[in-house]
């Protein structure tokens, strides 16, 4: 029996067929058909989602007890309300207090001294995000959109989705993105830098309305700040001062000025942070696979010190576990670093550049 | 009418495949009958494929099984990639049985609703922290300004937690505030789809049980457990702790992507790793008749779990989101950089350390390749284990449990004594230097008295716990023959002495050698080689400042000990362990202690 093929995560692909599913948060209506061509901004599906639940603290507003507040309520469960409607009233010998609703909606109940109401359902519109062709429809749920292009999957991201022209604002993959690396004319663009450790660059990017930031690495202390901004950010290598991998930087520099879509997870995290540069009409491309068998000659990125961020070429695939520099035995590959050294690296410490 | 024959007893399986799907790594082992006894035949590990891009944990299981196939040179998966069961005639392919355990699901998210911010809510929060449960919000009904404000409502309504835990009120206390809270919860979730509604657990005033049941049971999966704080001075977290563990297994685990397929393959229910590991620890304590019990320590990538078996009682605590992989970030926030860095025997700046840790968090599947990286991982192991041990102290261990305990705050008290420390986890399995592992365990646990230390070198203990349910003989035999790597026996007295003073004199009579006498200075760690499987008779004579776990200072004792890869280790640093304030001096001490453990000929007599 043969040794199993070693599958490694593909983090970067200069040309591939990319398919992304676009799904509604709740069942709704799909507005496009299989075969339709869509732009990033096109609506592909929409749904009504439950309105927000609101509370009005009647005890505080009427300065009374929870039990008395219940008696003062002038509306009952199920009552439709318009903004400004009186929902509770309390008369005393000297005064009259009224509580009005600041929101339109439907009363859900009065309990524990609070009036609960639900706002009207809201329509959610789902954009295609990716310019391309609809290849699958999930009735009532969403679609799958396919495009051909370049893909860079990040190790961390934040801020949701954006798209715009790609603008490489540094000269080398290790150059820091500074506050003055870009100006107001970059509004709506996806800006690329090597490293990011200046909080002013983050604030400025958000303030100027950039569509996204793509950097090789980010200072750990900026992660929390980045996650609070509504600015899509994709980090390709890691945390600290790791230059963007050479092949990634060269690819982005080559596509400077092209339309790109960027996605960081909502909030922050590792799942789904990516940059796609659509390349329509660039000929037939292979389908993108999430993991691929490693072979001699492949280019890999090393992900753990002492070779963190280094790019190397696979020169041998020993079939048995080998000893690492600290004595651990692990399955891995022998690789040649860019300075010519040959080293053994465990498979779990490398990622494939497709 | 023909006689009804009883069904034949199921034949004992010849080959069992067992998988443990952790949050970071998936471990698979193959157990087979070899010359009449069950043995561990092959094992393999693979990154857990929980998230993007695979989103299916069975893919990681299959990758590990393919490695096992390559070792045993026979197919274990069918053409569709499913586990091949039953075994084909002649044993040319497949296995008889597959079992699985998992801790891959994220911790439960819990909202606590209580009368006030203290007492019951504090007890509930402590219980959650030790039950792999993250408290995302606490609603204090006494806070009339904010109890049901928009932020609270939106978090409850738009992203419902897994569990809402209602606590509060001593037994026979007021019921009305709890009823009001229940009414509000019913109002909030009335229009939410039933499958998105949280489980509601009531652990408050017994008098309110019936009233709350009437209000909540029609809408929610409603559970009642003991009042977590029946009166001001008493805390009873046990039942709540068990309930949360059960909810994790019933609700969180099935949400793991690929769980349905994993369950389809398995001969029994997919157990939580904690439960399966508990089975194994219980069995070890029972088999070896360990009067003082077993302490199990499992520092994983995303969760740290400590379990203790004493007599027939098994108690455990699982620190949610604390570990050496995905849990590194939370651990760093909780413990702080300074606490982590104090364990390092080599200089490393805080910036370098933070960068190492944060990148390990981003790529939790990766393993250390440098000594800096490795010792930083062991620093994390120490702090993660300490956090879980502290939870055990707060929840279960009281001074009455052990004579060797002194008075004072929980964290200042030494550990209860155990016969065996059983350690496992990524950094335990992937560290080739036994001295490093032992040092980390001594620092984290600070054991007292005489204790043997073993590790789960093959990362099979949870799987063996699951195998026990379908083939108990196989589990017992594999555990006895292939389950342990014995590091050695530790002698650790409590007390403090001046540096240079003799803390204890040790007399050792090996089975095959001349007797040996060794004076161990206060504040030092020493090692006497004694090969695995060898036995020796020891006599210990502590100085008047030290207690070897007998409850009295200066009183000596004797015992038979077994060896291990390190032999006999004497930790005369006293309890609680005091590290020097000065960073440089602390590093020097760490180096010295480590050298004494790692080097064969450092100071230890041959």
């Amino acid at each position: 029996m043969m040794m199993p093929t070693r599958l490694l995560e593909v983090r970067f692909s200069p040309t591939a067929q990319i398919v992304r599913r676009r799904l509604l948060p709740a069942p709704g209506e799909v507005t496009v058909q299989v075969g339709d061509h869509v732009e990033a901004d096109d609506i592909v599906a929409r749904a009504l989602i439950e309105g927000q639940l609101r509370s009005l603290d009647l005890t505080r507003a009427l300065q009374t007890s929870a039990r008395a507040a219940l008696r003062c309520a002038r509306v009952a469960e199920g009552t439709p309300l318009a903004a400004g409607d009186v929902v509770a009233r309390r008369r005393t010998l000297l005064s009259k207090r009224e509580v009005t609703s600041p929101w339109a909606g439907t009363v859900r109940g009065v309990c524990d001294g609070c009036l609960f109401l639900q706002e009207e359902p809201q329509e959610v519109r789902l954009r295609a995000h990716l310019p391309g062709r609809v290849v699958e429809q999930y009735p009532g749920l969403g679609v799958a959109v396919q495009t051909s292009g370049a893909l860079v999957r990040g190790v961390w991201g934040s801020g949701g989705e954006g798209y715009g022209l790609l603008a490489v604002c540094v000269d080398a993959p290790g150059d820091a993105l500074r506050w003055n690396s870009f100006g107001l004319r970059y509004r709506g663009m996806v800006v690329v830098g090597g490293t990011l450790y200046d909080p002013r660059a983050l604030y400025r990017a958000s303030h100027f309305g950039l569509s996204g930031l793509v950097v090789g690495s980010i200072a750990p202390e900026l992660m929390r700040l980045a996650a609070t901004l509504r600015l899509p950010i994709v980090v390709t290598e890691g945390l600290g001062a790791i230059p963007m991998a050479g092949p990634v930087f060269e690819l982005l520099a080559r596509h400077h000025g092209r339309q790109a879509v960027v996605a960081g997870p909502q909030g922050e995290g590792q799942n789904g942070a990516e940059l796609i540069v659509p390349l329509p009409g660039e000929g037939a491309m292979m389908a993108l696979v999430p993991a691929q068998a490693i072979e001699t000659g492949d280019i890999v990125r090393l992900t753990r010190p002492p070779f963190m961020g280094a790019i190397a070429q696979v020169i041998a695939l020993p079939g048995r576990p080998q000893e690492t520099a600290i004595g651990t035995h692990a399955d891995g590959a022998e690789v040649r670093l860019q300075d010519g050294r040959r080293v053994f690296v465990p498979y779990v410490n490398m990622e494939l550049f497709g | 009418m023909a006689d009804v024959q009883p069904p034949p007893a199921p034949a004992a399986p010849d080959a069992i495949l067992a998988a443990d799907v952790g949050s970071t790594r998936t471990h698979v082992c193959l157990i087979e009958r070899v010359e009449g006894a069950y043995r561990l035949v092959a094992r393999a590990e693979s990154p857990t494929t929980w998230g993007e891009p695979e989103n299916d944990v069975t893919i990681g299981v299959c990758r590990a099984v393919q490695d096992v196939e390559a070792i045993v040179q026979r197919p274990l998966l069918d053409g569709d990639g499913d586990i091949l069961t039953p075994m084909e005639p002649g044993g040319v392919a497949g296995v008889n049985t597959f079992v699985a355990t998992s801790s891959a699901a994220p911790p439960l998210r819990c909202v606590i609703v209580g009368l006030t911010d203290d007492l019951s809510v504090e007890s509930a929060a402590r219980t959650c922290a030790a039950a792999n449960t993250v408290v995302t919000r606490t609603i204090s009904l006494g806070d009339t300004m904010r109890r049901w404000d928009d932020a609270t409502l939106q978090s409850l309504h738009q992203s419902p937690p897994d569990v809402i835990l209602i606590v509060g009120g001593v037994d026979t206390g007021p019921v009305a505030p709890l009823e009001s809270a229940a009414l509000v919860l019913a109002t909030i979730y009335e229009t939410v789809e039933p499958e998105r509604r949280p489980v509601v657990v009531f652990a408050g005033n017994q008098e309110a049980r019936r009233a709350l049941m009437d209000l909540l049971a029609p809408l929610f999966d409603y559970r009642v457990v003991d009042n977590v704080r029946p009166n001001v001075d008493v805390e009873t977290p046990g039942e709540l702790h068990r309930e949360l563990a059960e909810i994790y297994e019933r609700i969180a685990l099935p949400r793991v992507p690929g769980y349905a397929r994993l369950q389809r393959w398995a001969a029994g229910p997919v157990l939580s790793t904690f439960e399966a590991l508990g089975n194994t620890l219980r069995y070890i304590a029972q088999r070896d008749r360990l009067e003082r019990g077993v302490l199990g320590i499992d520092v994983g990538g995303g969760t740290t779990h400590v379990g203790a078996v004493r007599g027939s009682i098994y108690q455990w605590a699982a620190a949610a989101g604390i570990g050496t992989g995905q849990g590194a970030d939370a651990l760093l926030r909780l413990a702080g950089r300074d606490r982590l860095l104090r364990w390092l025997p080599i200089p490393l700046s805080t910036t370098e350390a933070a960068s190492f840790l944060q990148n390990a968090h981003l790529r939790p599947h990766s393993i250390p390749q440098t000594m800096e990286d490795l010792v930083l991982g062991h620093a994390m192991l120490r702090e993660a284990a300490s956090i879980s041990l502290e939870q055990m102290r707060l929840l279960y261990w009281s001074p009455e449990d052990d004579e060797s305990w002194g008075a004072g705050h929980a964290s200042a008290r030494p550990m209860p004594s155990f016969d065996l420390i059983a350690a496992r986890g990524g950094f335990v399995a992937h560290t080739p230097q036994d001295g490093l592992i032992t040092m980390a365990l001594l620092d984290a646990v600070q054991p007292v008295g005489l204790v043997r230390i073993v590790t789960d070198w093959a990362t099979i203990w949870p799987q063996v716990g699951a195998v026990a349910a379908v083939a108990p003989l196989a589990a017992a035999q594999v555990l006895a023959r292939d389950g342990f790597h014995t590091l050695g026996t530790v002698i650790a007295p409590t007390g403090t002495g001046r540096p240079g003073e003799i803390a204890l004199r040790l007399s050792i009579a090996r089975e095959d050698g001349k007797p040996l006498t060794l004076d161990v200075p206060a504040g030092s760690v020493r090692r006497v080689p004694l090969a695995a499987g060898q036995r020796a008779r020891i006599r210990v004579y502590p100085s008047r400042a030290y207690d070897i776990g007998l409850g009295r200072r200066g009183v000596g004792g004797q015992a038979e000990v077994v060896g291990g890869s390190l032999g006999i280790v004497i930790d005369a640093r006293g309890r609680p362990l005091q590290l020097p304030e000065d960073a440089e001096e602390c590093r020097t001490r760490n180096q010295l202690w480590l050298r004494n453990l790692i080097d064969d000929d450092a100071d230890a007599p041959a």
Side-chain angles (χ1 to χ4, degrees), chain B residues 133-213:
Chain B
T133 301
V134 174
V135 177
T136 55
R137 185 172 285 270
T138 298
I139 299 169
S140 169
L141 299 174
D143 182 356
T144 53
M145 300 290 279
R146 287 180 303 163
R147 66 197 190 288
W148 304 119
D149 62 8
D150 275 352
T152 303
L153 282 185
Q154 280 170 31
S155 79
L156 288 172
H157 186 242
Q158 288 176 0
S159 52
D162 299 310
V163 179
I164 292 179
L165 176 56
I166 305 175
V167 296
V170 297
D171 285 342
T172 74
V175 173
L178 296 170
E179 280 184 305
S180 295
L183 263 173
V184 173
L185 291 176
T187 304
I188 292 171
Y189 288 105
E190 203 175 4
T191 58
V192 172
E193 302 90 326
E195 60 275 12
R196 288 182 66 226
R197 289 177 197 155
V199 176
V200 177
V201 178
F202 179 59
N205 175 6
Q206 285 187 21
E207 296 285 314
R209 284 180 178 181
R210 180 166 291 275
L212 263 63
M213 177 175 280

Side-chain angles (χ1 to χ4, degrees), chain A residues 1 4 6 50 52 54-55 57 60 108 112 155 224 237 239 270-271 290 303-304 306 326 349 351, chain B residues 52-53 67 73 144-145 147-148 150 154 187 191 333 358-359 362-363 366-367 369-370 373 432-433:
Chain A
M1 178 173 275
R6 288 291 166 181
E50 271 197 316
Q52 282 195 7
R54 302 281 189 180
S55 71
D57 191 339
R60 193 146 36 106
R108 294 279 304 279
D112 201 16
V155 292
R224 202 152 287 171
E237 313 297 317
L239 305 177
Q270 290 152 270
N271 267 349
T303 60
R304 192 99 184 193
I326 57 168
N349 290 1
E351 292 164 351
Chain B
E52 298 281 357
D67 284 356
Q73 291 291 300
T144 53
M145 300 290 279
R147 66 197 190 288
W148 304 119
D150 275 352
Q154 280 170 31
T187 304
T191 58
R333 267 186 272 128
Q358 303 269 18
N359 282 305
L362 286 188
R363 291 184 170 94
S366 61
I367 59 174
Q369 280 180 260
T370 65
D373 208 346
Q433 297 87 352

Side-chain angles (χ1 to χ4, degrees), chain A residues 6-43:
Chain A
R6 288 291 166 181
L7 297 174
L8 255 60
E9 254 188 275
V10 178
R11 286 265 172 196
F12 166 76
S13 181
T15 52
Q17 293 283 354
I18 302 159
V19 177
R20 289 290 174 265
R21 286 207 289 186
R22 307 290 293 162
L23 298 174
L24 287 163
E29 177 199 2
V30 177
T31 57
V32 291
Q33 304 296 320
V34 171
D36 285 357
H37 181 85
V38 289
E39 293 299 327
D41 221 9
D42 287 351
I43 305 298

Side-chain angles (χ1 to χ4, degrees), chain B residues 239-324:
Chain B
E239 210 172 299
L240 173 61
H241 195 246
R242 276 191 294 278
E243 187 66 39
L244 291 172
E246 198 268 330
I247 293 171
Y248 177 81
E249 198 165 313
R250 193 169 49 86
I251 291 183
L253 276 186
R255 287 193 201 137
V256 170
Y259 175 90
R261 189 179 184 213
L262 192 68
Q263 182 60 79
R264 188 158 47 79
W265 289 345
V270 176
L271 297 180
S272 86
T273 303
F274 314 134
E275 188 184 337
L277 182 60
N279 292 345
T280 303
L281 294 176
R282 268 193 289 256
Y283 171 74
I284 296 167
Q286 204 174 27
R287 181 195 65 182
D288 295 348
R289 295 189 177 86
L290 302 177
E291 287 176 12
R292 291 180 300 151
V294 181
L295 178 69
I297 294 179
D298 180 5
V299 182
T303 307
T304 298
H305 173 235
V306 168
V309 183
R310 305 185 94 195
S312 60
I313 297 169
Y314 177 61
Q315 295 163 327
W316 61 272
I322 301 291
T324 53

